[in-house]
Amino acid sequence: MFDELCPSSLNPIRFGDKWAPLVIRCLEGGPRRFSELRVPLRRVTPKVLTASLRALERDGFVERTVHPGPLQRVEYALTPLGRSLLGPLEAACAWAGEHWDELLDAREAYEGRQQAG
Amino acid sequence: MFDELCPSSLNPIRFGDKWAPLVIRCLEGGPRRFSELRVPLRRVTPKVLTASLRALERDGFVERTVHPGPLQRVEYALTPLGRSLLGPLEAACAWAGEHWDELLDAREAYEGRQQAG
DNA sequence: CGCCCCGGTTACCTCTCGGATACCGGTCCG
DNA sequence: CGGACCGGTATCCGAGAGGTAACCGGGGCG
């Protein structure tokens, strides 16, 4: 059934690493520069953000373009492949919006049961 | 923007831990016993499978019921909350089915570029 | 009794992820 | 020249996820 390395056991189905979903959503509205990404993602250190971006670039989700000339800029943009992730990602976010509370309640109830015995 | 602990930065949007998606799909067709889950998931050691199931139970996605009497059985079943995950999960799997090859191609191309300089 | 199956648990180890901190080369600007 | 900004790197580190292997108590069963 799931003998082989099923794709779903690998990362992409989980939207990449920890910050990848947020990075993707940040790029949804168009290309962004490194320092522009750092503003909404201020909790992410540059090293980690770089790692996330490199992974997304490697998998063909974002494209990194260095605009040369004076005032050189580096921009990150979603590729078509990256945009194709927006659908599933949106589905997952919608799910979270609808059911997040239930999940928290379940956790609380579980903790209660644990302590009770 | 994403100042606070945004839900999407937490695990549930990523369908739990490494094996959770597969476990959920295994339970899609109805309740399964621990040893029944171990068959399709033969690459998962009991410890890890237990951990995954406990986490899913804690978050209210699966229910663990011990059927007493002689020949005691332990069954795991999806709760309604767990079933609500099937939609997004299906979306992610469909995405993988459609775009998996593109992703692999992108990776290959990237490696090539790396080695070329 | 001895053995097997079921549903785990325990101990231990490795390895990766992510975080903290500091630093760096290039470029512009005064 | 000095300083700031940009787009990162380098280094170190701790926590925890996940894997390996061994073990275990309860119940049936020959």
Side-chain angles (χ1 to χ4, degrees):
Chain A
M1 186 176 184
F2 298 122
D3 287 4
E4 306 306 317
L5 248 355
C6 168
S8 71
S9 77
L10 294 171
N11 253 346
I13 202 187
R14 300 175 67 209
F15 307 115
D17 59 28
K18 181 171 176 181
W19 297 106
L22 293 185
V23 173
I24 292 172
R25 302 217 68 167
C26 286
L27 292 176
E28 196 171 350
R32 298 276 180 264
R33 304 173 56 178
F34 189 81
S35 47
E36 286 172 337
L37 289 172
R38 294 205 61 192
V39 176
L41 301 170
R42 76 174 67 132
R43 309 174 63 89
V44 188
T45 62
K47 174 201 151 184
V48 175
L49 182 54
T50 301
S52 209
L53 286 166
R54 288 286 183 282
L56 289 169
E57 189 191 357
R58 167 173 139 276
D59 286 352
F61 295 143
V62 310
E63 191 180 13
R64 176 176 182 270
T65 36
V66 182
H67 296 269
L71 238 71
Q72 150 183 335
R73 293 171 299 132
V74 178
E75 276 189 341
Y76 293 92
L78 286 181
T79 63
L81 183 57
R83 293 210 166 269
S84 74
L85 266 179
L86 289 174
L89 190 51
E90 184 52 42
C93 287
W95 179 91
E98 288 175 38
H99 300 286
W100 187 249
D101 297 346
E102 298 178 52
L103 188 149
L104 291 179
D105 290 351
R107 275 192 192 176
E108 207 170 322
Y110 185 84
E111 305 299 338
R113 264 176 282 147
Q114 289 314 91
Q115 295 186 9
Chain B
M1 187 176 184
F2 299 121
D3 288 3
E4 306 306 316
L5 249 353
C6 169
S8 69
S9 77
L10 294 170
N11 252 348
I13 204 186
R14 300 174 66 208
F15 306 115
D17 59 29
K18 182 171 177 182
W19 297 106
L22 292 184
V23 172
I24 291 173
R25 303 218 68 168
C26 285
L27 292 176
E28 197 171 348
R32 297 277 181 264
R33 302 173 55 180
F34 189 81
S35 46
E36 286 171 338
L37 289 172
R38 295 205 59 192
V39 176
L41 301 170
R42 76 174 66 131
R43 309 175 63 89
V44 188
T45 62
K47 174 200 150 185
V48 175
L49 182 54
T50 301
S52 209
L53 286 167
R54 289 285 184 280
L56 289 169
E57 189 190 357
R58 166 172 139 278
D59 286 351
F61 295 143
V62 310
E63 191 180 13
R64 176 176 181 270
T65 36
V66 182
H67 296 269
L71 239 70
Q72 148 184 333
R73 292 171 299 130
V74 178
E75 275 189 342
Y76 293 91
L78 285 181
T79 63
L81 183 57
R83 294 210 166 271
S84 74
L85 267 179
L86 290 175
L89 189 51
E90 184 52 42
C93 286
W95 179 92
E98 288 176 40
H99 300 286
W100 187 249
D101 296 346
E102 298 178 52
L103 188 150
L104 291 180
D105 291 351
R107 277 193 190 175
E108 205 169 323
Y110 185 84
E111 306 298 339
R113 263 175 282 149
Q114 288 316 92
Q115 294 186 9

